[in-house]
Structure formats: C-alpha cells, structure tokens
Amino acid sequence: MSAKAPIVVKVGGGALKGGALEDLPSILAGGTPVVLVHGGGPQLTRMLDSLGIESTFHEGLRVTDAATLEVAEMVFAGGVNKALVRGLGGIGVPAAGISGTDGPTILVEPVPELGRVGEVSSVEPALIEALWSGGFVPVVAPLGLGPEGAYNVNADSAAAALAVGLGAGHLFLLTDVDGLLKDGEAVASLGPEESEDFVESGLAAGGMVPKLRAAALAARGGVRARVLNGNKKGVLSGALSGEDVGTLVYEGGAACRQ
C-alpha cells in the first residue's frame, strides 16, 4: 500500500469521453491510490423508458421502487460499470469493477421518501484496500447494502462518503461545467456551510445541488473536495499540483461576496 493519501474521483456514466481521466496513468505512476465512483443516470433513464417504467425525481434525487432498483443494479453494476472498466484498460489503467454491495463496501440506511434509496451510514474499506494492494483501481457502482438488500445511492454522496471513509486527501467531482458558476465565472472556493447557501439562493440548481452537498459532506470529514470540468484534459493533475481549477470546497474556504 502507498503511503500517499488516496483520491476519489466521481465520474458520469460516459466519463472517458471528456478526457479528464487521461491523467490517471501519471497519477498512479506517482504512487497515489485512486478510486472511481460512477453515476449513470441517463443510461438508467433510457433503460427504464424502454421498459415502460416512469422516472420520478425528488430534489434532484431519483425515487426508486423495487422495479426501478432491479433495473438500476443491472445498469449501474452491469453495463455502465463494465464499459468504464474496459475504457480505463484502454488508456493503461488496470481497473476492477465492483458495486457498494460487494464486500460489502457501502452500508446504508433507507431514505423513506425515496423508496429503495439509501443514505450511506458507514464505509468498509477492506475490499478496496485489497484491490489497491493488487495494483487495481476500484471502479465503484453507486449501490449500497441495507436492511432489505441493495439500495440505490446517489453517486455524488457515495463518492463523498468513500472519500471520508478511506481517508482520502482529495475528492474530485467531475461535471460538464467549470465548477459552481456565479456571474458566468467559477467560484474559486467556499466553506461547506456556504454550499447550502448557494442551493437555497438558487445559484446552484439541478445536478449541481447533490454535488455541492456531497462536497460539503466530504469537506466536513477533512477532505478537500473540488467540482471540476471533466471535459478538460489535465484538470486532475492540475488540481493535485495546486492549480486553481474548478470550485474547491473545504473547511476554511470562503466564497468571494459581491
């Protein structure tokens, strides 16, 4: 095992298209352990539509009944996870796909208003550490183990919980914009308590809401969390080398107020 603090990277279901993950071989060569957590919401929605199962959302989070969960496990732990693992192999990254129920790695408590959706209660690092020891990058599908079996877990929240539970130095939340935008510019840094202020003011909306909340969760756990544009090559290496990219959320961060 490396003495370097690990990093956790949260990516979308089509993550390799953007180019940000092309930094991973050099990061791994430097001895930093890496975990990827992926989403796959659009792929799940397409599959549900094809099966005639309606998608419902509450504050940006998917409401998951038993039928939706069955499809989610198939899409997340199956198609999306394995395609990402193959893609990583194609750029020289030895990867192994798991879901949070394997090990188990992610334990959850149910979120009543969302059906079979879980909120992470604890992280068990043994399986991820075993994969690191073997030289692999774990690629984690956003599912967790709870009282009734598998639960859908918001991928941003899962990544934040894993970052804290694994003692990560950094959490990188990749998206398709340059960070939290204010007046067209990325907010350079903010404290975790300010994340909710941006949500309540409406400056953060849609998919940025769970990202900011996940970043705040990680920051409170001692992790430097950063929302980055995954469509820009070099952002991961740049962030690790101290460049001012994206929006950094950490204890002590402060947004510039006008």
Side-chain angles (χ1 to χ4, degrees), residues 212-226:
L212 275 187
R213 286 177 170 163
L217 174 68
R220 291 189 183 101
V223 180
R224 293 172 71 86
R226 197 181 288 268

Side-chain angles (χ1 to χ4, degrees), residues 23-253:
D23 290 348
L24 289 180
S26 63
I27 291 171
L28 293 166
T32 299
V34 177
V35 176
L36 263 62
V37 180
H38 66 80
Q43 292 94 325
L44 175 56
T45 298
R46 286 196 297 271
M47 181 63 77
L48 290 170
D49 287 346
S50 72
L51 295 172
I53 301 172
E54 185 177 356
S55 296
T56 307
F57 294 87
H58 175 75
E59 294 184 354
L61 300 176
R62 187 182 300 273
V63 178
T64 304
D65 58 15
T68 301
L69 177 68
E70 185 175 357
V71 180
E73 190 160 21
M74 176 177 68
V75 171
F76 293 154
V80 173
N81 186 273
K82 301 313 171 191
L84 183 51
V85 167
R86 289 193 299 273
L88 288 167
I91 61 170
V93 175
I98 65 171
S99 88
T101 64
D102 294 323
T105 298
I106 297 174
L107 300 176
V108 303
E109 293 293 337
V111 181
E113 63 269 23
L114 296 177
R116 289 292 288 277
V117 171
E119 181 175 328
V120 182
S121 57
S122 65
V123 168
E124 299 294 338
L127 178 55
I128 286 175
E129 290 173 350
L131 290 171
W132 280 338
S133 294
F136 295 98
V137 171
V139 179
V140 185
L143 298 160
L145 186 66
E148 296 180 34
Y151 285 74
N152 189 5
V153 181
N154 174 263
D156 296 312
S157 299
L162 280 169
V164 174
L166 294 168
H170 298 270
L171 167 65
F172 298 127
L173 299 155
L174 301 188
T175 183
D176 57 359
V177 292
D178 289 338
L180 171 65
L181 302 181
K182 182 179 181 183
D183 301 325
E185 298 289 330
V187 176
S189 67
L190 63 157
E193 70 286 344
E194 291 178 287
S195 298
E196 198 62 33
D197 294 341
F198 277 96
V199 172
E200 291 176 358
S201 70
L203 280 169
M208 187 58 68
V209 173
K211 282 182 175 53
L212 275 187
R213 286 177 170 163
L217 174 68
R220 291 189 183 101
V223 180
R224 293 172 71 86
R226 197 181 288 268
V227 181
L228 294 172
N229 191 336
N231 294 322
K232 292 188 173 180
K233 295 181 181 181
V235 293
L236 296 181
S237 293
L240 285 173
S241 64
E243 290 181 18
D244 188 14
V245 290
T247 297
L248 175 64
V249 182
Y250 72 108
E251 289 285 5

